[in-house]
Structure formats: C-alpha cells, structure tokens
Amino acid sequence: MADGASPSDEDAVDAFGFSFKTRSAEKKAAARQGEEMDLTPSRTAHDPYSYNMDFPSMGTCLIINNKNFHPSTGMSERQGTDVDAGFVMETFRNLGYKPKLFNDATVSQMKELMIRESKEDHSQSASFVCVLLSHGDEGVIFGTDGLEKLDTLIKCFKGNACRSLVGKPKLFFIQACRGMELDEGIETDSTADGTCEKLPIEADCLYCFSTAPGYFSWRNTANGSWFIQSLCDMLKAHRGKMELMQILTRVNHRVATHFESSSNMPGFSRKKQIPSIVSMLTKDFYFPC
C-alpha cells in the first residue's frame, strides 16, 4: 500500500500468483444509480414466458467464500472477500432465499458442498442460487488447496442430475479471475398448464462471471469486489421491477463505467473490467418485491 493510503483505497485481483494491491478510483460523480421510474411489468400467474414463482420458498443461496489459501498454491489472501460474502448474505436473504455460507473450503469440500446441496429436495423452492468467491483462471476456480474445473463443480445441478430443480432457474454468480489479461479500456467520444415436455439438461442455468474470459477481476480490500458491490446494489434497486437480464445489464454498466484501477505498479493503472453473462434461461425471471 502506498504511503498515506487507507485500507479502503486498495484493490487486488483474484488470480493465481498476484498479491499486489492498488488504490481504487471509483468515480465519485456516479457512485450510485439514480432513481428509476417504476417499470413493474404486468404478469399473470400462468405467463408461459415467465418462471413460476408460486412456491413456498425462493430457495437456497449457497455461498462459498475462499479467503485464505495453503502456501503451496502460491496464492494471496483475498482481503475484502468477507465484505462480499456479507453483501451477498444480506441481499439474497432480503430476496427471500435461505443463505448457506461456507468459508475457506478445500477442493474436496467444495465438491462435497455442491453435491450435498444438489441432493436436497428443492421441490418446494422456486429457484437455486450459488455464489462462488475465490481466486480463479479460465474455466477453473480455486479451493484453498488447489483448483477445480468449474464445470465439474456445477454439473450436479444440471437437469439429468438434480431432478427437483428441473425447469427452475439455477443462478451461478462467480467472483474470480478468468486469466491474466488487463482490460485497457477505450476512450470514446460520449459516454404452467400441466403438460409434459423434454428439456435440454443445460437449460435454465445462468452463469454470471465477474469478468470477461481471459481477464483479471478486481476486488477492493475494504469495500469488496467491483462486481459483487454492483450486483447487490442493482438487485436491491430493481427487484420486482425489472427482469433478471435487465438487472444484470445494469450491473455490467455500473462495473464498466464507475470503476477504474489506479496503481503505482507499472502497467496496472487505469484498467477496466466488464462482467460476462452466459444464459441458458428459457423464461423471464423476476425477483419478488
């Protein structure tokens, strides 16, 4: 940390082998979104293009928060991730989910947690949410003692493995690096009718990554990651008013326009970030008001 900098002014990246910190330069003039008009859509209980939310529970929000790593991994402590975990816990609890938080999980423990949750009876739940907070690289996420393919961790929730979530939205939010590229940015001139059907096993899943493939993901050591801050703020602001993809587009906008790194390390100043959404959802998804 530079002389005179406070802990709240530090950022780090969620990638293997990088333990440096930078000063945050979140743009003060646009710290939060302005008030939006109430655009609450008109939806009926039998809308074939919206997920059925008429269940006793919204579902489980499984959170795996990895902060401390075994020295053999060569990976740095993820300062600020506990702030992210707290934001996620509060936000999804207020949305009606039952949060389950697990800290510093090894690879085998991560697998066990995912498999155990996939075997639960979700028949009374409208959906499922999983939030992974850790170091990462393209296609992999780290436990405290090593790495695992993301596909291996989540395959137990797909349609052929978790029957009680078939036809229901399964949302995965991943705060982790996906490579070691830095985004330079670019200057611009302006700113249910009861019938049976066969579904693909990959259907009804959504993966929202904190960054684009191949890139670093930034995390402030005091305020949490750019992505999780923005995700929680937008969910709070637009729940019940906007469909999930609209909300996530606003998350993209906030991360892209409101944050920029500032570092004393050569080559790490004025870097940007953009989240990445991969959706196999088949209907509109609205969080409750």
Side-chain angles (χ1 to χ4, degrees), residues 272-283:
K272 304 292 289 183
Q273 180 179 322
I274 182 68
S276 175
I277 307 163
V278 180
S279 176
M280 277 77 79
L281 297 182
T282 60
K283 300 180 182 180

Side-chain angles (χ1 to χ4, degrees), residues 19 38 49 109 138 161 177-178 189 228 233 239 259-260:
S19 59
D38 187 352
Y49 296 106
Q109 288 170 339
E138 184 56 34
C177 283
R178 303 178 71 187
D189 294 331
I228 294 296
D233 283 349
R239 57 181 290 183
F259 295 89
E260 183 177 285

Side-chain angles (χ1 to χ4, degrees), residues 231-248:
L231 174 65
C232 292
D233 283 349
M234 294 300 101
L235 288 174
K236 291 175 184 177
H238 303 300
R239 57 181 290 183
K241 301 176 184 178
M242 294 183 179
E243 198 271 330
L244 176 57
M245 294 301 294
Q246 291 178 298
I247 295 175
L248 294 181

Side-chain angles (χ1 to χ4, degrees), residues 10-43:
E10 298 178 0
D11 292 327
V13 291
D14 284 325
F16 172 78
F18 280 82
S19 59
F20 64 87
K21 302 170 185 176
T22 64
R23 297 191 305 274
S24 174
E26 180 176 3
K27 296 183 179 179
K28 296 180 180 179
R32 291 186 178 274
Q33 293 285 349
E35 293 296 326
E36 301 270 350
M37 292 187 299
D38 187 352
L39 300 177
T40 305
S42 176
R43 303 188 298 276

